[in-house]
Amino acid sequence: MTATDPTQATTGVPFTLNGTDFEAEQGELLIDACERNGVHIPRFCYHPRMTPVGMCRMCLVEVDTGRGPALQPSCMLPVTPEMKVDTESEATKQAQDGVLEFLLANHPLDCPVCDKGGECPLQDNAYSYGPGETRFVEEKRHFEKPIPISDLVHLDRERCILCDRCTRFASEVAGDPLISFIDRGSQTQVNTFPDDPFSSYFSGNTVQICPVGALTAAPYRFKARPWDLDAVESTSTVDSTGARVVLQASQDELVRILGVDSDAVNWGWLSDKDRFIYEANGSPDRVTQPLIAEDAAGSDSGDGAGRHRPVRWSEATKQAARALRIDPEKVAVIGGARLSLEGQYAWSKLVKGVVGTDNFDAQLGDGVPAALAMGLDRATINEACQPGGVIVLVGPDPKEELPSLYLRVRHAVIEDGATLIEVSPRATSLASIAAVNARTMPGTAGQVLAAVADGRLDDPIGSVDPAQLRAMHAALTSGRPVSVLFGRANLAESARYVADAVGAIRRLVPEARFLPLLRRGNVHGALEMGLTPGFLPGGVRNRRKSLANWPSTPDFEGKDTDGILRAAAAGNIETLVLLGADPIADFPDVGLATQALAEVETIIAVDCFLTASSSLADVFLPAAMAGEYDGSFMNIERRVSPLSAKVTAPGLCRADWTIAAEVSLAVGPDLGFGSLEELRAEMSDTIANLAGLSWAELNTADDGPIPPQQRNWDLDFGDPAALPPVSSYGFRLVVDRKLWDTGVMVQQSPSLAGLAPPAILRLNPADVHLMDLDASEYIRVDQGDVEFDVRFVADEAVSLRTAWLPVGLPGFDVRQLLAAGRSITNVRLQSSALESGPLEEPDQIDDVSHGDMIAADDTTQEDHDG
């Protein structure tokens, strides 16, 4: 259900509640009106974010609408004028007493051992409204227990009260109707169907909203009791949505994460990745003390194991400082999206203000140009999902990369009448509810939207027919608010094509607002704090200008990750800092990343685990993880929310800002702050956007403030990028991401580590038929000097003449086919049973650097201030 907009004037509906006159809002349900006026009505099935169904009848109250008092379910009844409500009458009490007696007839009375005991609405209501004893003497119903209905959720059927919350969530909210009522009468139960498990990315939400202990989370089951838990509100750092969460700990160990109903962001819903990723904090593979590489030759085992020895922090920082005291142009930093805003500012000041290099990039080659991400009018999530609006998705599948945002967009389209236009090389998880599904060949999204913007609506463009072009044009020019969700839908094509698409929409709808779908944790905070070449904190262009409280700023414009790795491979980078980054496992061109790290003289890693990249480090500085430090987070809409410490960082791990301060002390000069309060005061003093931010209120604000976007950038998108041809036998490669992958945080969480699906190539059924392929066989993929066999399936979600294979899945690393600087990746496909014929080099064209994509005449408040 959509929350009522408090800014809209409404005419109050007068009604009487327990003898006192009140006013309800138009259309407000009685249960909500009573709650808002301080009268609690017990309930089980009702949830304010889902459609009311009146299943449990616990909310029966005596209501007189002019025809005499009668018991009615308050969760189904809108308030009408002059309605008289009595929640304390004898009839109401008897009804509530009877409902509870029937619910407890078969419910096991094992509260001391039930995971829900101590926070159970059934337990609370039984004490507050129940009979106090039962008249039933018959044996209670018994079922086998527990049943694992998914990898993460267990079901105790005898505890279920058939409230319909879990099934409604799965169907209405998540769109995964995989859990349902089965059987009849007294044997009615919630369950899944054979061979169809509850494999939803959002299954953990059903555990949180279950009013009894019927659904339990496997990672938390029997780990702690509610009265043993300490809790604090924080923000999820899994992706850039910034879902609000509660961290719960027992004995200084994180044991559970719950969603907080933030009206502006996630509405209480979390993906299972947000909910269970805390297991990585307690991984035995955590590095908890500083390390330096052994000097002895031959000590390297090849994978990093055994090549390091533990040292004191002072020794590690001194060695790091020596490596940073060189020509600034030979120093580079990759990463930073994992950090808090405070850690990002501290590292930005260290790298750009003390060391003096501008080679700093928090986007590992899978984002968009910083000017594009920061310079457009930003929409809030509420604005993008407003009723009746138009949403244009030119980017990745939100369900796979930003799942909390996916739920908001889905609700806006299904429940609030928003119109969704999807422009993508493959059908996303929102395709079934989109008004227009424009399946584009890689690189052609800009061409399609340019045709719409220019009114060229009569000729098809690739597989996009004139009817789709006209439908897009009609929606975009309808006068309704337009929000554009944009990002990299395909890692095998240049970010320049995303800029072309955005420029076309902006040309047609100048008042459109934008949400950049950047995936990595606090990446929007990283851009704001200057962790990108050419910018200083606050979105200020460098241009050799000074910054308050900084000793200096870089005197050159640096390189992005692509440029850094190219320079490193060529021997032009001597010191490389990996700030929570793993280029070998995460940069699209794995060959370039591997070669670059092999050529760098000194690698400094600030991380939590020995990854493929950090295991090569000469200096390893152990960092605290989310939940172990205090700080703040900037989400996809630039909303600032708290990051709270709930447990102690293990061993000698430190918060990122303190690591930067200690390294700077060794490099010289000191950063100038020794506490979080001093750091935040300097941020407010240095960054105009944060001048009015009340840091002390972050933990008390409902949703968190959005700092002003003090920019006036006239973005020049230039001419559309050239597009290489596709040969008669060629396919264009589509590479994106899945929520479950082989990333380090997922693999270090035992409950999530086995959820990544195997790598399977997907082709359009028409292409499978045309090539006369047998689905039981493998398919051979040729791309220049790379050739491999992989399983394939036919999938109508894939565009014609494209091949879709997500990155980061077990079985095959598709990044072997990708090369930095290539605008489009063409591949040749054939049955693996056939002999490979002569292969022409696939048509490619060189990409342009991110720095050349967007020219911005950008002025900020700081620029005006001189």
Side-chain angles (χ1 to χ4, degrees):
M1 299 177 64
T2 303
T4 302
D5 186 351
T7 64
Q8 292 181 350
T10 58
T11 304
V13 179
F15 77 109
T16 302
L17 174 60
N18 297 336
T20 304
D21 292 335
F22 292 99
E23 279 194 355
E25 298 172 358
Q26 286 285 350
E28 187 175 20
L29 293 174
L30 177 57
I31 193 171
D32 291 330
C34 291
E35 191 81 22
R36 188 168 52 81
N37 288 291
V39 177
H40 174 73
I41 298 177
R43 78 292 299 269
F44 293 115
C45 68
Y46 177 71
H47 191 285
R49 296 296 186 186
M50 294 187 288
T51 303
V53 289
M55 292 280 288
C56 70
R57 317 307 277 185
M58 190 66 216
C59 67
L60 287 172
V61 293
E62 200 167 35
V63 179
D64 186 354
T65 58
R67 299 182 179 181
L71 290 171
Q72 299 193 51
S74 57
C75 72
M76 298 287 290
L77 189 65
V79 179
T80 56
E82 309 306 328
M83 175 184 284
K84 293 180 174 58
V85 183
D86 192 342
T87 67
E88 300 173 349
S89 69
E90 191 61 30
T92 298
K93 293 179 180 179
Q94 288 182 359
Q96 294 168 345
D97 186 296
V99 168
L100 283 165
E101 186 173 16
F102 277 115
L103 288 178
L104 293 171
N106 270 309
H107 193 87
L109 302 181
D110 58 353
C111 300
V113 298
C114 175
D115 257 0
K116 201 73 172 181
E119 56 183 11
C120 174
L122 179 58
Q123 193 179 47
D124 296 339
N125 288 336
Y127 278 115
S128 301
Y129 305 97
E133 61 182 16
T134 181
R135 293 175 289 176
F136 291 96
V137 296
E138 293 79 10
E139 179 74 11
K140 291 180 181 286
R141 184 178 53 187
H142 296 286
F143 290 104
E144 176 188 353
K145 58 179 289 187
I147 294 176
I149 61 173
S150 77
D151 293 290
L152 300 169
V153 177
H154 289 178
L155 169 65
D156 293 322
R157 289 173 290 174
E158 73 278 9
R159 290 183 180 146
C160 180
I161 61 172
L162 305 180
C163 70
D164 199 29
R165 276 191 173 192
C166 58
T167 55
R168 275 182 293 150
F169 172 83
S171 178
E172 294 179 10
V173 179
D176 300 323
L178 302 171
I179 181 171
S180 309
F181 287 125
I182 63 174
D183 294 337
R184 294 185 177 185
S186 63
Q187 294 300 307
T188 302
Q189 57 183 282
V190 166
N191 214 324
T192 58
F193 291 99
D195 302 320
D196 196 9
F198 189 30
S199 54
S200 170
Y201 288 164
F202 309 99
S203 63
N205 292 284
T206 62
V207 176
Q208 181 170 339
I209 65 176
C210 179
V212 293
L215 294 171
T216 56
Y220 174 73
R221 189 177 173 90
F222 304 138
K223 289 291 180 65
R225 312 304 297 156
W227 51 84
D228 293 330
L229 301 178
D230 291 325
V232 66
E233 284 198 21
S234 188
T235 305
S236 173
T237 60
V238 166
D239 60 52
S240 62
T241 308
R244 296 298 293 273
V245 298
V246 168
L247 306 179
Q248 295 184 331
S250 177
Q251 300 180 357
D252 204 29
E253 177 187 356
L254 287 174
V255 295
R256 187 165 66 169
I257 293 179
L258 299 177
V260 172
D261 193 344
S262 169
D263 187 71
V265 187
N266 59 305
W267 286 10
W269 312 131
L270 298 177
S271 72
D272 289 347
K273 193 171 184 179
D274 291 295
R275 190 176 296 275
F276 300 118
I277 203 72
Y278 68 85
E279 290 184 315
N281 288 59
S283 169
D285 295 333
R286 284 277 305 264
V287 179
T288 59
Q289 53 188 332
L291 305 173
I292 64 173
E294 293 281 8
D295 295 330
S299 62
D300 187 359
S301 64
D303 60 356
R307 73 183 297 266
H308 295 98
R309 62 180 175 87
V311 297
R312 298 188 180 199
W313 267 101
S314 58
E315 183 178 350
T317 53
K318 285 179 181 178
Q319 184 159 328
R322 284 196 296 269
L324 293 172
R325 290 196 205 101
I326 60 174
D327 180 357
E329 295 199 38
K330 295 185 177 180
V331 177
V333 184
I334 296 176
R338 174 184 59 79
L339 280 57
S340 66
L341 283 178
E342 294 79 1
Q344 290 166 344
Y345 176 83
W347 274 96
S348 182
K349 185 176 181 180
L350 167 61
V351 172
K352 295 193 172 188
V354 176
V355 176
T357 183
D358 195 46
N359 297 322
F360 200 158
D361 189 21
Q363 299 188 79
L364 271 73
D366 60 0
V368 298
L372 188 65
M374 293 193 292
L376 297 167
D377 291 333
R378 191 76 60 98
T380 65
I381 295 175
N382 275 340
E383 289 170 344
C385 299
Q386 62 186 295
V390 177
I391 304 171
V392 184
L393 175 60
V394 191
D397 188 340
K399 188 174 184 178
E400 302 291 349
E401 301 199 13
L402 301 164
S404 296
L405 179 64
Y406 160 81
L407 295 182
R408 292 293 310 273
V409 174
R410 185 178 185 277
H411 179 95
V413 175
I414 293 178
E415 302 293 340
D416 293 336
T419 298
L420 176 64
I421 298 172
E422 183 179 278
V423 183
S424 173
R426 73 168 184 92
T428 73
S429 301
L430 293 166
S432 62
I433 60 174
V436 180
N437 286 287
R439 296 281 78 80
T440 57
M441 288 285 285
T444 63
Q447 295 180 356
V448 170
L449 289 167
V452 174
D454 298 337
R456 294 180 282 109
L457 310 177
D458 296 326
D459 297 323
I461 301 178
S463 59
V464 182
D465 60 42
Q468 292 175 310
L469 298 176
R470 287 191 288 270
M472 284 191 280
H473 188 273
L476 292 172
T477 58
S478 63
R480 292 180 288 165
V482 174
S483 301
V484 183
L485 281 55
F486 70 94
R488 294 284 289 280
N490 182 8
L491 302 182
E493 70 179 41
S494 168
R496 175 58 190 267
Y497 297 120
V498 179
D500 289 345
V502 169
I505 297 175
R506 196 164 180 253
R507 190 167 72 250
L508 178 64
V509 191
E511 65 277 11
R513 299 175 74 85
F514 299 83
L515 267 180
L517 302 187
L518 305 182
R519 177 183 65 95
R520 302 175 186 278
N522 198 13
V523 64
H524 296 281
L527 297 178
E528 288 284 336
M529 295 300 108
L531 274 59
T532 186
F535 288 90
L536 298 174
V540 179
R541 282 282 191 179
N542 185 5
R543 293 176 178 168
R544 302 185 182 181
K545 68 187 305 178
S546 60
L547 201 63
N549 301 305
W550 282 37
S552 63
T553 56
D555 59 4
F556 66 97
E557 182 159 338
K559 301 176 176 62
D560 61 7
T561 303
D562 188 339
I564 290 171
L565 294 177
R566 289 174 188 262
N572 296 324
I573 298 294
E574 294 183 8
T575 298
L576 177 64
V577 180
L578 301 178
L579 205 53
D582 184 7
I584 292 178
D586 211 9
F587 185 70
D589 187 341
V590 61
L592 175 60
T594 303
Q595 180 186 359
L597 267 63
E599 295 294 331
V600 173
E601 183 175 320
T602 302
I603 298 176
I604 302 170
V606 182
D607 214 325
C608 308
F609 300 95
L610 283 172
T611 65
S613 299
S614 64
S615 63
L616 303 176
D618 299 279
V619 181
F620 187 103
L621 306 177
M625 295 175 64
E628 300 170 353
Y629 58 82
D630 290 318
S632 53
F633 182 97
M634 181 174 283
N635 80 342
I636 189 173
E637 55 185 353
R638 299 183 65 256
R639 187 179 302 276
V640 180
S641 55
L643 293 172
S644 303
K646 186 63 255 170
V647 297
T648 306
L652 300 179
C653 297
R654 296 184 178 180
D656 294 285
W657 76 264
T658 63
I659 297 176
E662 185 148 348
V663 172
S664 182
L665 187 63
V667 174
D670 184 10
L671 290 183
F673 39 76
S675 68
L676 190 65
E677 292 72 24
E678 292 176 352
L679 169 55
R680 286 176 165 176
E682 179 173 317
M683 292 171 65
S684 297
D685 186 47
T686 305
I687 305 172
N689 297 349
L690 303 182
L693 185 65
S694 175
W695 299 98
E697 295 179 0
L698 283 184
N699 289 313
T700 59
D702 290 337
D703 297 315
I706 299 179
Q709 193 173 1
Q710 295 177 331
R711 303 187 183 106
N712 182 22
W713 291 356
D714 182 16
L715 298 177
D716 180 9
F717 291 89
D719 296 328
L723 194 65
V726 178
S727 61
S728 60
Y729 58 79
F731 284 74
R732 283 184 176 160
L733 191 63
V734 176
V735 178
D736 59 8
R737 299 183 184 275
K738 302 287 287 183
L739 185 69
W740 304 129
D741 57 16
T742 56
V744 62
M745 292 294 287
V746 171
Q747 295 307 306
Q748 293 295 339
S749 302
S751 299
L752 309 180
L755 299 182
I760 298 178
L761 189 80
R762 295 178 181 271
L763 300 171
N764 189 280
D767 290 323
V768 173
H769 176 74
L770 183 65
M771 298 176 67
D772 195 23
L773 297 173
D774 185 344
S776 65
E777 297 178 351
Y778 282 68
I779 193 168
R780 176 158 297 171
V781 181
D782 286 327
Q783 205 287 308
D785 56 353
V786 178
E787 178 179 293
F788 66 94
D789 294 338
V790 66
R791 288 289 305 274
F792 77 95
V793 296
D795 189 342
E796 292 183 349
V798 184
S799 299
L800 288 168
R801 309 299 291 175
T802 65
W804 170 36
L805 183 59
V807 71
L809 301 182
F812 176 74
D813 189 352
V814 69
R815 295 180 304 144
Q816 297 179 47
L817 301 174
L818 306 182
R822 184 181 294 163
S823 64
I824 294 290
T825 300
N826 290 337
V827 295
R828 179 182 180 182
L829 305 178
Q830 60 184 5
S831 172
S832 61
L834 300 177
E835 294 183 0
S836 299
L839 176 66
E840 301 175 20
E841 181 68 19
D843 294 319
Q844 316 288 356
I845 63 172
D846 291 335
D847 194 4
V848 290
S849 69
H850 280 189
D852 295 332
M853 288 184 189
I854 301 293
D857 179 14
D858 52 67
T859 56
T860 64
Q861 186 64 44
E862 292 86 348
D863 290 322
H864 290 302
D865 292 343

